[in-house]
Amino acid sequence: QVRLVESGGGLVQAGGSLRLSCAAYGSIFSINAMGWYRQAPGKQRELVAQITSGGSTNYADSVKGRFTISRDNAKNTVYLQMNSLKPGDTGVYYCNTDLRTAQLTRRNYWGQGTQVTVSS
């Protein structure tokens, strides 16, 4: 069983920072990519940032220059450093991973979500 464990969400004032982490556990053969999505009430879930196993990154325009995604491949962990947070960043942040299980089956998994609330 592959599972994603997220942490780091919380309440922060505008201009503050949070660091999210997501660790993948289980029978994992390889991870192709890990990323963060967020969903605000009444809005579609959107990609925030993604990082591939090779280190390539992709960011939503709204977070470029403020958020940084990184990874620790040895720990199967992805981080999202969020600086200069804005109220518009409020939402549930979901970790996502595209991987191959120990059985070499390609799978996509989602974390349970962690709430990020930015107050003004």
Side-chain angles (χ1 to χ4, degrees):
Q1 174 82 260
V2 175
R3 63 192 187 280
L4 303 181
V5 180
E6 301 164 312
S7 63
L11 175 65
V12 66
Q13 292 181 333
S17 298
L18 287 172
R19 188 178 187 238
L20 307 182
S21 65
C22 172
Y25 298 91
S27 300
I28 301 167
F29 179 77
S30 63
I31 293 178
N32 298 318
M34 298 185 78
W36 291 94
Y37 293 71
R38 69 186 179 191
Q39 187 167 21
K43 292 186 176 182
Q44 290 249 303
R45 187 174 300 183
E46 64 174 345
L47 175 68
V48 177
Q50 184 182 57
I51 187 166
T52 70
S53 60
S56 298
T57 58
N58 185 36
Y59 295 93
D61 288 341
S62 61
V63 307
K64 286 181 178 178
R66 300 188 297 119
F67 291 9
T68 302
I69 190 167
S70 61
R71 76 197 192 285
D72 185 336
N73 290 337
K75 297 179 179 179
N76 289 335
T77 299
V78 65
Y79 306 93
L80 185 67
Q81 180 66 47
M82 304 186 293
N83 298 326
S84 301
L85 282 161
K86 305 174 180 179
D89 296 319
T90 293
V92 179
Y93 284 67
Y94 297 91
C95 180
N96 175 268
T97 183
D98 178 51
L99 56 78
R100 288 191 181 274
T101 68
Q103 294 75 41
L104 303 183
T105 301
R106 190 167 182 174
R107 291 281 186 266
N108 189 271
Y109 292 92
W110 290 93
Q112 79 283 359
T114 184
Q115 177 70 42
V116 171
T117 303
V118 184
S119 65
S120 59

